[in-house]
Amino acid sequence: AGPDLKSQIVLAWQLIFGADPTESESAEAAAFVAAQTEVFQPKTPPAANPPAGAAPPPDPARQAFALLCQSLLSSNRFLYVE
């Protein structure tokens, strides 16, 4: 889908629901990802010298998009056939 959030949202929607999102659904999803990205931002700066073998900190935008996908998979629209 590329690095563009809108195209990522459209692809997720297509894979999960088999249809494109409406403009309002796409806007709500983008706002959700933006808000969750803020939540996942580290509250303290990363350590200057992390311990050897330490995993890098997770990417907040990636975490937020994963949460959107989990939310879509948990939705009634996914669970029930209309």
Side-chain angles (χ1 to χ4, degrees), residues 47-73:
N49 295 321
D59 177 27
R62 190 175 189 142
Q63 287 180 298
F65 191 76
L67 187 57
L68 171 68
C69 292
Q70 290 172 348
S71 299
L72 296 176
L73 288 168

Side-chain angles (χ1 to χ4, degrees), residues 16-17 72-82:
I16 294 170
F17 299 131
L72 296 176
L73 288 168
S74 298
S75 69
N76 282 341
R77 185 173 174 183
F78 178 76
L79 296 175
Y80 298 103
V81 177
E82 295 179 355

Side-chain angles (χ1 to χ4, degrees), residues 6-23 25-26 72 77-78 82:
K6 183 172 172 94
S7 65
Q8 291 174 352
I9 290 170
V10 169
L11 180 59
W13 219 272
Q14 289 171 340
L15 291 172
I16 294 170
F17 299 131
D20 288 341
T22 64
E23 285 298 318
E25 289 170 333
S26 184
L72 296 176
R77 185 173 174 183
F78 178 76
E82 295 179 355

